[in-house]
């Protein structure tokens, strides 16, 4: 997990529309997808004038896939916010699974898997 501290700094400085409470202790294989998720959430918060707080990140016991726990406060432009949020989560879930599978098949003797 060498990239997590760098990712934490980048996320806190780049994603001004998000409030990130936990330390992001994400495995390197999930950094790209996590960054994509935060980027999309930041854009969505701006677009819909919604406050998005990441209050916790939980990790899957078997594959360490991160699960971001969010709280949102409605803004003035929330017409299809929930639908767009679902699309973002679906896309990122596919990315996390893909990263997990790539890691699994590229190194089948990895003790963390």
């Amino acid at each position: 997990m060498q990239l997590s501290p760098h990712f934490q700094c980048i996320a806190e400085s780049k994603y001004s529309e998000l409030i990130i409470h936990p330390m992001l202790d994400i495995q390197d294989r999930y950094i790209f997808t996590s960054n994509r998720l935060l980027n999309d959430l930041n854009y969505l918060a701006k677009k819909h004038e919604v406050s998005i707080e990441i209050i916790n990140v939980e990790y899957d016991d078997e594959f360490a896939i991160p699960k971001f726990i969010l709280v949102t406060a409605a803004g003035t432009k929330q017409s299809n916010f929930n639908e767009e949020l679902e699309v973002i989560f679906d896309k990122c879930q596919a990315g996390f699974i893909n990263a997990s599978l790539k890691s699994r098949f590229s190194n089948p003797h990895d003790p963390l898997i």
Side-chain angles (χ1 to χ4, degrees):
M1 292 191 215
Q2 299 171 12
L3 296 177
S4 277
H6 302 292
F7 179 56
Q8 182 83 35
C9 292
I10 290 169
E12 290 173 353
S13 65
K14 184 176 180 181
Y15 302 121
S16 59
E17 302 298 315
L18 303 178
I19 301 168
I20 304 170
H21 293 289
M23 291 301 295
L24 302 174
D25 191 24
I26 298 169
Q27 290 188 2
D28 289 353
R29 62 182 152 199
Y30 302 124
I31 292 289
F32 177 79
T33 304
S34 296
N35 188 53
R36 178 68 181 258
L37 173 64
L38 295 185
N39 186 53
D40 289 350
L41 289 174
N42 194 64
Y43 172 77
L44 195 64
K46 280 183 188 178
K47 178 180 175 183
H48 291 280
E49 297 177 7
V50 173
S51 171
I52 299 178
E53 286 186 59
I54 300 171
I55 60 170
N56 197 14
V57 180
E58 297 175 355
Y59 302 92
D60 176 79
D61 290 336
E62 189 171 353
F63 301 107
I65 294 173
K67 179 169 76 173
F68 291 79
I69 311 300
L70 308 176
V71 174
T72 63
T76 58
K77 298 180 179 178
Q78 198 176 1
S79 59
N80 59 345
F81 172 78
N82 290 335
E83 292 84 12
E84 290 182 52
L85 189 60
E86 285 293 324
V87 169
I88 289 170
F89 283 147
D90 290 345
K91 177 175 58 174
C92 287
Q93 182 64 24
F96 286 132
I97 292 170
N98 184 37
S100 177
L101 290 173
K102 278 184 181 179
S103 175
R104 175 68 176 163
F105 289 113
S106 67
N107 189 4
H109 302 294
D110 185 352
L112 296 175
I113 301 178

